[in-house]
Amino acid sequence: MVSLVLGLLALAGVAGCAAGDASSNRGTGQGQTQDDLLASPGHPVTSPTGKYVLEVSPGPEDNGAKTWRVEIRDSSGATVYRDDADYTIRHTTYVLWADQGDQAWIYSGDVGVFYIEPDAAGRQWSKSTWRIGDPVDDVPSYLRQARPERFGIR
C-alpha cells in the first residue's frame, strides 16, 4: 500500500512538472495544445496570472443554433464578469486569455472580436471591441496564428 501511494505521488509530481513547463510557454504554441488555451463548456481555462478562470457554458438556442455564454471567476469562484452576449457557435468561436496578464478574448466569426479586462484596481471589468486597424500586439498569438487574415497578418 505504501509503495502504491509513493508511486502515485511520484506520478503526480511528474505531471505537475509537465504542466509547469507548458504554462511557461503560454501563447507561444510550444508545449501547449488547443485544449490548454481555449475555454469551452466544461473546460475552464486559468488566466496567465492564475488569479482568474475563464468559463464557457451553453447559452440559449438562437433560431435553432447553439450558443455559448462567457463568465470570468476569481480564485474564490465568485463571478467577476458575466458577458451579456450569446455567441453562436455555428460560426468559428474562440474564447481564451491573452498571452500575458488578465485579459480575456472572444473571437466570434459572427459578431466580431472582443477583449475583456479589469480596471487598474481589478474591481470593474469591461468589454471592448477590437477593430481592424487596432494594434495586434495584445491579440493572443493563438488567434493571430489561427486567423491571420482577420488581424492583417500575412
Side-chain angles (χ1 to χ4, degrees):
M1 181 67 153
V2 171
S3 57
L4 175 64
V5 170
L6 291 175
L8 290 173
L9 287 173
L11 184 59
V14 169
C17 290
D21 290 344
S23 65
S24 66
N25 293 318
R26 181 176 181 80
T28 64
Q30 299 173 357
Q32 287 189 302
T33 66
Q34 181 172 314
D35 285 342
D36 295 329
L37 298 172
L38 301 178
S40 60
H43 183 76
V45 178
T46 302
S47 69
T49 66
K51 294 179 184 177
Y52 302 99
V53 175
L54 188 55
E55 293 191 5
V56 175
S57 59
E61 285 197 3
D62 180 14
N63 292 321
K66 294 181 180 181
T67 65
W68 282 356
R69 287 256 166 122
V70 177
E71 286 189 15
I72 299 172
R73 297 180 187 273
D74 66 15
S75 58
S76 72
T79 300
V80 296
Y81 179 84
R82 179 176 289 125
D83 200 338
D84 58 358
D86 298 316
Y87 298 95
T88 305
I89 62 170
R90 69 177 161 211
H91 305 281
T92 302
T93 302
Y94 300 115
V95 180
L96 68 163
W97 290 106
D99 297 339
Q100 299 175 15
D102 295 318
Q103 187 182 61
W105 284 75
I106 302 168
Y107 174 97
S108 167
D110 184 29
V111 294
V113 180
F114 309 93
Y115 55 95
I116 305 161
E117 59 190 347
D119 62 13
R123 292 189 185 106
Q124 187 71 27
W125 289 71
S126 60
K127 180 171 84 171
S128 301
T129 301
W130 185 92
R131 292 179 172 81
I132 294 174
D134 286 352
V136 297
D137 296 345
D138 291 335
V139 175
S141 56
Y142 182 88
L143 284 183
R144 291 192 312 254
Q145 292 170 9
R147 294 285 186 245
E149 70 287 350
R150 177 67 170 103
F151 301 103
I153 300 168
R154 298 178 198 273

